[in-house]
Amino acid sequence: MSLLNTNSRFLHDNLVTYAKRLTATLPDKLSVCYFVNSGSEANDLALRLARTYTGNYDVVVMDNGYHGHVSSLIDISPYKFNHTGGEGQKPFVHLVPVPDVYRGLYRENVPDVGEKYAMEVKHTIDAARRQGRKIAAFICESLQSCGGQIIPPHGYLREVYKHMREAGAVCIADEVQVGFGRVGSHFWAFQAVDDEACPDIVCMGKPIGNGHPMSAVVTTPEIAEAFGATGMEYFNTFGGNPVSCAIGLAVMDVIDKEDLMGNASRVGNYLMEGFRKLGEKHDMIGDVRGLGFFIGVDLVKDKKSREPATVEAQHIIYRMKESFILLSTDGPHRNVLKLKGPMCFTTKDADRVLVNLDQVLTEIESARTRKHALLPAKVEAASSNNTLEHAVCSYRKDVHSKRSGPIFTGSHTLSHDALFGNTKRPTDNDSDDDEAKRQKTWAGVD
C-alpha cells in the first residue's frame, strides 16, 4: 500500500492512458474526460457542464426517470420527487412521456412511433418557451431502468436530440447502468438504440470499475472549454487517481479478452427467447423486452387489458429468492421483472432462471384455480381499494399469519404451504437429475 498513489493531484501516465482508451469507444467529438467517484457525482457534474455552456437552467427529463441520490438529481428524478418523501416537481423541471410502446401513450402498432414520442418532447419545449423558460439540457438513461426496462423505439433519440439542439440545449446520455457493453451489440446503449444519435455529454458509473468506486463524464471540447472559462477550477481528490485508472483499464481488458459483449448478446438473446416461450405457456407474461443483459418481463393479469400484475410480481421475486435467484421489480406499477445479470452470466445460469420461473408461474396459476386461493382475493382487493400497495401489504400479512413454516426471507416471512399446499418446489436437496428433469419439462423434452 505504501507504493500506491490514490489522489489525482499529480500527473500520472495511467490517467492519460485510460482517458484515451475510454474515448476510443465513443464518437470522435466526445473527447474530454472528467473522472469522478460515483454515478450520482457524474450526473451532477453533467448538469453543471450543461448549465454553464448554455447559460440556461431548466432540464427536460423522462417521466419515471432516476439519475442519482444527491439533491440536484433528486430534483430531476420523477422516480424520487413524485413518490413518498419527494417534494414534487420543481418549476425548472419539464416531464416528457416514457417512450413505452407496450403500455405507453403510443403503442407498438402505431406507425413512426419513435417520431411521435419525440414530438411530445417538442411540445414540451414549446410549452416551456411560452412560459419564458429556457432549457439547458435533456437527460435520460439510454435505456430506462426504473421506468420498467424500457427500450426506446428507433428514431426517438435522434429526433429528441434534434429538437433539443434547436432549442439551444445539450443532450446528456445517462449510461451509468447500461454502458460498457451490457447491451451486447454496442459498447454504449445510445449507439444500440439509434446509430444516428450522438449525445453531447455521456455519464458513466457502476460497471466502470466492477465494484470499485469510480465514474466518468465525457463531453466535447467546446463544452469543456466553456466550463473552464468560468475561472472556477474543477478538482476532484480521488477522481482519476492512478489506482482507479488502473482498475478501469483492467475492466476494459476483461471485457475485450473474455468477449463479454458477445456473451451478453448470446446469453441475453437466449434468455429472452426463453421468456417468450414461457409467455406462450403462461398468460401472466405480457411482454418481454431488452437488449443483451438488460431485460424486462412485464407481468399482467390479462394479456388483452395489460393490467399490471403487481401482487404476483412481488410474490415471484420472493419465491425465486428461495432458489437463490435474485430478481427485483420496477416500473411505475412494480410489475416488471428486471434482469441485469453479471456480464459472465451463462446459458446454464439462464436455464436455471427459466426453469424456476416456469415453476413459480405454474404454482400461481394452480392457486388461482382453487376454491380458497389467496391471490385472486388480493387481486380483487387491489381493484376495490384502488391501491396496489394495499394489496401487496395485506397479501403478505395474510400469508404470514397462515404460514405452516417460514420459507421466505425479507421484511415479511411467507409460507409455501399456505399458498400452494404440497406443490413440489426445488430444494437444496434436489439432485442433478431432478434439476435436469425440470429443465427438460420446461424445454418440452420427454
Side-chain angles (χ1 to χ4, degrees):
M1 290 293 290
S2 63
L3 299 178
L4 294 178
N5 171 22
T6 56
N7 72 74
S8 58
R9 190 170 295 276
F10 305 106
L11 293 176
H12 193 283
D13 287 346
N14 281 5
L15 178 64
V16 178
T17 302
Y18 185 49
K20 287 181 177 179
R21 182 84 173 271
L22 198 58
T23 55
T25 67
L26 290 159
D28 291 343
K29 77 171 191 176
L30 296 167
S31 59
V32 180
C33 298
Y34 295 87
F35 292 110
V36 287
N37 306 289
S38 71
S40 291
E41 194 175 351
N43 284 336
D44 178 74
L45 177 57
L47 282 185
R48 287 181 60 191
L49 291 169
R51 285 168 170 163
T52 300
Y53 178 71
T54 63
N56 302 333
Y57 195 80
D58 288 21
V59 183
V60 175
V61 298
M62 198 179 287
D63 199 8
N64 302 321
Y66 173 69
H67 300 287
H69 63 80
V70 300
S71 296
S72 65
L73 302 176
I74 294 295
D75 284 346
I76 65 165
S77 297
Y79 184 76
K80 290 296 185 182
F81 70 63
N82 269 341
H83 292 85
T84 305
E87 298 179 354
Q89 184 177 346
K90 301 288 176 66
F92 60 84
V93 177
H94 308 275
L95 297 187
V96 296
V98 178
D100 180 356
V101 299
Y102 182 67
R103 58 173 73 252
L105 182 63
Y106 305 106
R107 300 194 174 181
E108 65 273 13
N109 57 347
V110 175
D112 303 318
V113 64
E115 287 80 357
K116 283 186 168 58
Y117 272 114
M119 280 305 299
E120 294 298 319
V121 179
K122 177 71 163 56
H123 297 330
T124 299
I125 295 170
D126 292 342
R129 278 175 169 166
R130 289 193 294 270
Q131 297 169 6
R133 313 293 309 195
K134 295 182 178 180
I135 308 297
F138 168 75
I139 182 171
C140 76
E141 292 182 280
S142 302
L143 308 174
Q144 193 186 59
S145 180
C146 291
Q149 307 296 97
I150 304 300
I151 313 299
H154 184 73
Y156 175 75
L157 281 183
R158 180 194 67 230
E159 292 301 307
V160 169
Y161 285 3
K162 182 184 75 173
H163 296 322
M164 295 308 304
R165 287 170 179 143
E166 288 173 352
V170 300
C171 303
I172 304 171
D174 181 347
E175 293 267 340
V176 170
Q177 294 198 54
V178 297
F180 288 87
R182 173 161 295 277
V183 297
S185 61
H186 296 75
F187 205 81
W188 304 107
F190 71 83
Q191 297 168 323
V193 298
D194 200 328
D195 56 7
E196 297 180 52
C198 180
D200 304 297
I201 303 173
V202 178
C203 301
M204 311 163 187
K206 297 189 188 301
I208 190 173
N210 195 36
H212 180 76
M214 59 185 293
S215 60
V217 178
V218 183
T219 188
T220 66
E222 294 79 13
I223 292 175
E225 288 167 9
F227 188 59
T230 64
M232 182 183 291
E233 179 186 13
Y234 179 79
F235 177 75
N236 192 302
T237 302
F238 297 111
N241 74 78
V243 173
S244 292
C245 289
I247 290 169
L249 285 165
V251 168
M252 297 189 77
D253 285 341
V254 170
I255 291 172
D256 289 342
K257 292 177 181 177
E258 299 185 13
D259 188 27
L260 295 186
M261 288 175 61
N263 188 63
S265 286
R266 291 186 296 272
V267 181
N269 288 337
Y270 178 83
L271 195 52
M272 283 187 282
E273 288 173 8
F275 286 133
R276 291 187 179 110
K277 185 172 182 179
L278 287 182
E280 297 172 3
K281 178 180 178 183
H282 301 287
D283 287 341
M284 198 180 301
I285 295 179
D287 187 42
V288 177
R289 50 185 177 260
L291 292 172
F293 281 147
F294 182 93
I295 301 171
V297 180
D298 199 310
L299 301 178
V300 297
K301 296 172 185 175
D302 177 77
K303 283 192 173 182
K304 186 175 181 180
S305 69
R306 303 184 181 184
E307 182 181 356
T310 299
V311 175
E312 294 87 340
Q314 305 313 306
H315 175 69
I316 286 169
I317 63 175
Y318 279 103
R319 283 288 288 114
M320 296 292 277
K321 188 188 295 184
E322 241 197 320
S323 299
F324 302 98
I325 298 171
L326 299 179
L327 300 177
S328 57
T329 58
D330 239 323
H333 306 290
R334 308 294 295 183
N335 70 306
V336 180
L337 299 179
K338 63 175 181 179
L339 295 97
K340 290 179 285 189
M343 297 283 280
C344 56
F345 207 71
T346 65
T347 53
K348 183 177 181 181
D349 297 324
D351 284 336
R352 183 179 174 189
V353 172
L354 293 166
V355 168
N356 282 275
L357 180 59
D358 182 24
Q359 181 166 20
V360 175
L361 291 172
T362 300
E363 290 172 354
I364 293 174
E365 290 165 355
S366 297
R368 282 176 164 175
T369 64
R370 296 175 186 170
K371 184 177 180 180
H372 301 293
L374 178 62
L375 285 177
K378 295 310 163 187
V379 170
E380 182 179 351
S383 176
S384 62
N385 288 282
N386 198 29
T387 164
L388 294 167
E389 289 81 1
H390 173 84
V392 173
C393 292
S394 59
Y395 163 64
R396 291 176 177 171
K397 180 179 178 181
D398 284 3
V399 179
H400 179 78
S401 66
K402 297 175 184 177
R403 71 182 186 274
S404 58
I407 61 172
F408 291 93
T409 59
S411 58
H412 296 271
T413 303
L414 306 182
S415 165
H416 174 272
D417 292 340
L419 277 174
F420 307 114
N422 297 318
T423 303
K424 171 67 176 172
R425 69 180 190 273
T427 70
D428 292 341
N429 296 323
D430 283 354
S431 67
D432 290 341
D433 287 342
D434 292 327
E435 180 70 9
K437 288 177 182 177
R438 281 195 294 272
Q439 293 189 15
K440 287 181 179 179
T441 299
W442 169 78
V445 179
D446 294 331

